[in-house]
Amino acid sequence: MKERLSIILGVFVVMALSNAVVPVLPFFAKELPAVQGAIYSAYFLGAFLTVYPAGLLSDKIGKVLLIRAGLILTVISGAAIVLFHGAYEVILFRVIEGVGAGMFISAALSWVNEQEDHKQLSGYFFGFLNLGLILGLIVTGLLEEPLGERSGMLFFTLASVIPLLLNISAREIVLVVKAEAETLRIISDYRWLYLSTVILVGSTGVLTSLYPEFTDESPVMLSIIFGIMNVSTIISSFAASRATFRPVPVIRTGALLMAVSVALAYLAPEAGILPVIIVFILVGLIAGFILVGQTDFLAGTGYRQGVVVGLFNTASYGGMTFLPYVSGLLSQDLNYFTGFIFTAVLSLVVFFTIGRCECRNRS
């Protein structure tokens, strides 16, 4: 029971701390889109570099130690961001924070996918993940004016100590398995699924990264907009975890809807705040079904989940690292229209290619 509680609370605080920077990105970036994209993406770069090695290692030494190490790095990096003030220092510690998150997410999600009730557990996992994203935004937005830009980070850094203590007190389980050279085969078999992960998860990061400067809304309003998106993802994650569906058609449909949503996100601010909220609700609903569909597909592949989920998380954080940064550069050097349309076109690529995964599931 303590293992499950430390994982659920852990993913909540890890995500909350990662998102606590979003409402105050213009403050850190001096209102420069490229710097803003760099600060946002630095966290995902650290996770991108870590999630696959962590997934592979979790198959060799077990999940508990990696979950614990990830939480320790989360506490340390959160404290460092609170204490240090330069933009480059924030970028560095965001990378370290991402490394900790990568360790935690890979080990925790592979543990979830190995349980008999993995589909329902994945609903809770992604639900609390998005709840953390919501409260990271809201708490930072509410505390920013009376207590300062770093107050949200301080709050969630302190909160991250709780799942760490739970993990330390949990029963130690170490599973040692023989490592095999499966990675290239897995990538070959499921390359289009992993491509969909890069693009579709990265698309949500593009919207989150570009919108603060694109709309020039207040931190509180941005917190509400992004929070609504995450509430929608919570709802759809729980719904998807209890629904019966074939994963690939759901992901394919989600890719088409994501392309439309990203294009609408560019147009929505001209029509007012209500259309913006509707677009972000749609993005959140799409994301929940996509994530549960992807992990449900991977749980049935027959491979050890540390490797499979490690690659999945690598693709997820790769998308969150590179798509927001590239879109930020395009938006700064050309215009915001180019940044949004670039992302929408990539989602259409997924729509036309994801069907190739259909026959590859070994379950």
Side-chain angles (χ1 to χ4, degrees):
M1 183 60 184
K2 283 186 177 181
E3 290 92 344
R4 294 189 174 212
L5 189 57
S6 68
I7 286 172
I8 296 301
L9 291 179
V11 74
F12 167 78
V13 295
V14 167
M15 292 298 105
L17 185 60
S18 75
N19 234 23
V21 73
V22 172
V24 290
L25 270 175
F27 165 79
F28 287 113
K30 312 304 180 187
E31 300 184 355
L32 295 173
V35 178
Q36 182 171 291
I39 293 174
Y40 181 81
S41 298
Y43 166 85
F44 298 101
L45 174 63
F48 170 73
L49 295 174
T50 308
V51 283
Y52 173 69
L56 183 64
L57 192 58
S58 73
D59 279 337
K60 299 173 66 175
I61 67 171
K63 316 297 192 272
V64 173
L65 293 177
L66 287 171
I67 290 171
R68 187 173 302 164
L71 290 172
I72 289 172
L73 282 180
T74 296
V75 173
I76 292 173
S77 59
I81 293 173
V82 171
L83 294 173
F84 294 91
H85 304 285
Y88 292 110
E89 293 168 324
V90 172
I91 290 172
L92 172 62
F93 291 120
R94 285 274 289 176
V95 171
I96 296 173
E97 182 187 357
V99 169
M103 289 183 179
F104 177 87
I105 294 293
S106 267
L109 188 54
S110 62
W111 185 92
V112 166
N113 251 23
E114 289 176 352
Q115 308 308 304
E116 290 186 6
D117 56 343
H118 65 85
K119 191 173 181 181
Q120 288 193 358
L121 272 178
S122 70
Y124 285 107
F125 186 87
F126 290 119
F128 275 86
L129 182 154
N130 281 278
L131 182 61
L133 293 175
I134 293 168
L135 291 185
L137 294 169
I138 292 175
V139 171
T140 299
L142 292 175
L143 296 181
E144 182 262 342
E145 184 172 346
L147 299 178
E149 290 82 2
R150 301 169 195 273
S151 53
M153 297 173 202
L154 176 60
F155 178 84
F156 288 111
T157 298
L158 296 175
S160 63
V161 175
I162 298 173
L164 175 59
L165 294 177
L166 282 172
N167 182 266
I168 291 173
S169 65
R171 178 168 52 95
E172 190 81 33
I173 300 176
V174 177
L175 175 64
V176 179
V177 297
K178 181 180 178 180
E180 299 176 2
E182 295 180 328
T183 302
L184 292 179
R185 181 180 176 185
I186 293 171
I187 293 174
S188 176
D189 282 352
Y190 310 118
R191 59 190 180 277
W192 298 114
L193 184 82
Y194 289 127
L195 176 64
S196 78
T197 305
V198 171
I199 294 173
L200 299 179
V201 174
S203 295
T204 65
V206 169
L207 296 182
T208 306
S209 174
L210 292 183
Y211 246 65
E213 188 64 24
F214 175 61
T215 62
D216 201 28
E217 292 284 357
S218 68
V220 172
M221 182 55 67
L222 289 169
S223 298
I224 293 171
I225 293 170
F226 298 147
I228 288 171
M229 178 179 69
N230 295 125
V231 168
S232 299
T233 303
I234 293 172
I235 294 170
S236 60
S237 295
F238 284 126
S241 70
R242 288 159 174 76
T244 301
F245 56 79
R246 291 164 58 213
V248 172
V250 166
I251 299 167
R252 191 167 187 261
T253 302
L256 179 60
L257 293 174
M258 186 66 76
V260 173
S261 300
V262 171
L264 290 176
Y266 174 79
L267 300 172
E270 292 293 329
I273 195 65
L274 182 59
V276 170
I277 291 173
I278 292 172
V279 167
F280 275 84
I281 288 173
L282 180 59
V283 170
L285 292 174
I286 295 166
F289 275 93
I290 288 173
L291 289 169
V292 173
Q294 288 169 330
T295 54
D296 185 38
F297 181 95
L298 293 173
T301 60
Y303 288 108
R304 294 194 308 270
Q305 288 302 296
V307 175
V308 172
V309 169
L311 289 169
F312 169 75
N313 286 321
T314 300
S316 299
Y317 284 112
M320 294 293 279
T321 300
F322 298 112
L323 257 65
Y325 184 66
V326 171
S327 296
L329 285 177
L330 290 172
S331 299
Q332 179 170 300
D333 295 341
L334 298 173
N335 50 54
Y336 277 105
F337 175 79
T338 305
F340 279 90
I341 293 303
F342 166 75
T343 306
V345 169
L346 288 180
S347 294
L348 288 178
V349 170
V350 174
F351 172 74
F352 287 112
T353 60
I354 189 63
R356 303 189 185 192
C357 285
E358 187 72 71
C359 64
R360 294 290 189 175
N361 194 305
R362 295 165 54 189
S363 60

